[in-house]
Amino acid sequence: MGRRSFLGLGAVLTGSLALGGKPAIANPAQESPPADAPWSQSIGAGVVDRPYGRPADTEASVIRRNVPWLTASAESSVSFSPLQDLHGIITPNGLFFERHHAGRPDVDPAQHKLMIHGLVERPLLLTMKDIMRFPSVSRIHFIECPANGGMNWRAAQMNSLQFSHGMVSCAEWTGVRLSTLLEETGIKKQAKWAMVEGADGAHMNRSLPLDKCLDDCLVVYAQNGEALRPEQGYPLRLVVPGWEGNVNIKWLRRIKLGEKPWHSREETSKYTDLMPDGTSRGFTWLIDAKSVVTFPCPEKPLDGPGLYEIRGLAWTGNGRVKRVDVSVDGGVNWQTARLHEPVLSKALTRFSLPWRWDGRPALVASRVIDETGYVQPTIAQLRAQRGSNSVYHNNSIQTWQVKPDGSVFNVQLA
């Protein structure tokens, strides 16, 4: 072994021991460079072996998952994104959480059309080719189901980051500003609301204020550089930045302008927040600021005392994340985490904080403050205002309990 190789090996061993973990190399002379691993001793597969590409075989466990008992059938259910295995802020298309109300339709883009009518001067019936002739834009935004975290309203459930927080994902969306299409129709001055409707078997529909439609909504046909995938609304979906996921209508087929909201099933019996006095909050579209530690978490325990980086995600429908604080003692003391660029409006933001774990029990949590000054509440603060009968909009602080053996559990503090 040459001097340079020896110095390199020394750095690896020193670094491993300094982190507090076990030496990673049992027999460095045989198992580390410059020794050749088996895959270094033969020719690999050619360029068209996987014409669309796929993750490494060893990453096969990084997939969306569902909870079978959560709904009566998979056709009206949700899959959860594996936040514990993701990096950066972009969710790969194959891992973006999915929500269906009547299963995933397979839509023929050559037959699909978007109708815009109601209080307009010139109703439109647009093919996909028509839509793709309009000026396009690309923006990065998150989408979160308002039921994300809903199972934790009454008590800590689902000892899993993926199942407790995996109904949020973030992507680069490409399409046409909704305002561009609406202006093409000539909006009548009486119009104040829009009803947006999908082409799935449920004809999922929601009422949206016209001001929001003209502000920042997009009619998109691409996600992260490729055409929308069928489970994300192929060939056309609506993206409503910062608002709850169900208004981001998939398989978008109709937009009707009117003077008042339609009060459909999805905005009366569903997607309303039941309050302690029995009344319900309706039209609670905005996603309030929220954050979660993604490492450590139940799926990613600690491997003995030493140096780690606490990592997590934060987001807010109000705009940009301003600051994230991290606590390792259940909120008694807080430290400001580093925000990773880019910090974009209505997009996921990465944060991290170095942590030298001494092997004693810890309570790890994060708290986000957005650019409006809104502070992520504790579950106790949220329950004091809204009780515990709701399913939606639980944006409370998540606490992970770290035990001396490094295992991690979902807990709630009084």
Side-chain angles (χ1 to χ4, degrees):
M1 181 180 293
R3 181 174 181 273
R4 178 172 298 178
S5 299
F6 176 80
L7 291 176
L9 176 61
V12 170
L13 289 172
T14 302
S16 175
L17 292 172
L19 290 172
K22 301 174 183 176
I25 304 171
N27 189 340
Q30 296 179 359
E31 300 179 19
S32 66
D36 278 340
W39 50 82
S40 300
Q41 301 175 30
S42 61
I43 296 175
V47 292
V48 292
D49 176 60
R50 297 174 177 177
Y52 195 78
R54 66 172 188 259
D57 293 342
T58 49
E59 299 295 314
S61 64
V62 181
I63 55 174
R64 293 181 291 220
R65 291 184 169 84
N66 73 328
V67 180
W69 52 260
L70 195 60
T71 56
S73 72
E75 289 76 19
S76 180
S77 189
V78 62
S79 72
F80 298 81
S81 182
L83 301 183
Q84 70 279 3
D85 292 305
L86 302 184
H87 308 275
I89 62 171
I90 298 297
T91 310
N93 290 343
L95 299 176
F96 203 99
F97 87 95
E98 55 182 330
R99 171 77 170 100
H100 304 158
H101 290 78
R104 182 199 64 238
D106 292 320
V107 179
D108 179 357
Q111 302 294 322
H112 189 73
K113 294 181 176 64
L114 172 63
M115 181 168 67
I116 305 177
H117 66 131
L119 293 177
V120 299
E121 300 291 346
R122 298 175 295 279
L124 292 178
L125 188 61
L126 302 169
T127 66
M128 287 303 300
K129 287 185 176 179
D130 294 332
I131 291 169
M132 296 182 78
R133 292 173 64 178
F134 284 91
S136 64
V137 295
S138 295
R139 293 189 196 143
I140 296 174
H141 292 302
F142 75 82
I143 292 179
E144 182 183 24
C145 175
N148 200 24
M151 288 182 282
N152 286 335
W153 258 111
R154 296 190 177 187
Q157 296 187 64
M158 307 304 297
N159 194 44
S160 160
L161 169 63
Q162 184 166 5
F163 291 138
S164 63
H165 289 76
M167 285 192 281
V168 63
S169 299
C170 186
E172 182 193 60
W173 308 99
T174 298
V176 183
R177 291 183 178 90
L178 178 54
S179 61
T180 300
L181 298 179
L182 292 178
E183 288 165 3
E184 191 74 8
T185 67
I187 303 169
K188 292 185 176 179
K189 62 181 180 180
Q190 308 99 298
K192 302 297 180 188
W193 288 79
M195 187 276 287
V196 291
E197 180 183 80
D200 57 327
H203 284 55
M204 176 70 183
N205 67 87
R206 290 299 309 265
S207 303
L208 293 175
L210 186 57
D211 288 346
K212 178 66 173 176
C213 296
L214 296 175
D215 179 21
D216 59 359
C217 294
L218 303 174
V219 174
V220 306
Y221 42 76
Q223 178 180 351
N224 293 334
E226 66 174 13
L228 287 170
R229 295 195 175 185
E231 65 269 30
Q232 297 303 332
Y234 178 82
L236 201 64
R237 83 175 294 177
L238 185 67
V239 170
V240 186
W243 285 20
E244 59 187 24
N246 62 83
V247 301
N248 294 256
I249 296 293
K250 300 177 183 176
W251 314 289
L252 181 66
R253 73 165 201 159
R254 189 159 73 100
I255 300 172
K256 183 177 183 180
L257 301 192
E259 295 181 82
K260 299 178 181 178
W262 277 258
H263 294 294
S264 69
R265 170 184 179 275
E266 308 297 346
E267 46 208 29
T268 51
S269 66
K270 304 295 182 183
Y271 298 117
T272 59
D273 310 321
L274 187 59
M275 301 294 283
D277 64 359
T279 60
S280 293
R281 298 196 309 165
F283 297 122
T284 51
W285 305 287
L286 182 72
I287 295 292
D288 285 317
K290 191 172 182 179
S291 70
V292 66
V293 170
T294 59
F295 178 82
C297 68
E299 293 94 334
K300 301 289 183 184
L302 301 179
D303 186 23
L307 179 64
Y308 292 94
E309 183 178 61
I310 295 174
R311 298 168 183 155
L313 291 165
W315 59 98
T316 172
N318 283 322
R320 287 179 172 79
V321 168
K322 181 179 180 182
R323 196 181 87 209
V324 176
D325 298 328
V326 171
S327 175
V328 296
D329 55 11
V332 177
N333 297 286
W334 294 94
Q335 300 178 68
T336 300
R338 178 171 75 92
L339 301 184
H340 295 231
E341 295 290 343
V343 179
L344 304 173
S345 180
K346 301 167 188 172
L348 294 186
T349 296
R350 278 275 170 196
F351 66 86
S352 66
L353 181 76
W355 179 41
R356 189 172 293 279
W357 183 47
D358 58 10
R360 292 186 294 181
L363 294 168
V364 179
S366 62
R367 177 183 66 185
V368 61
I369 298 95
D370 71 22
E371 63 181 346
T372 70
Y374 179 92
V375 181
Q376 184 179 4
T378 65
I379 187 66
Q381 291 171 327
L382 210 54
R383 287 193 185 121
Q385 290 186 354
R386 294 168 51 198
S388 58
N389 292 322
S390 185
V391 173
Y392 306 112
H393 296 279
N394 177 4
N395 67 319
S396 63
I397 291 172
Q398 170 66 48
T399 302
W400 301 123
Q401 179 191 41
V402 179
K403 295 200 170 184
D405 65 357
S407 58
V408 181
F409 293 87
N410 180 13
V411 298
Q412 289 186 351
L413 304 180

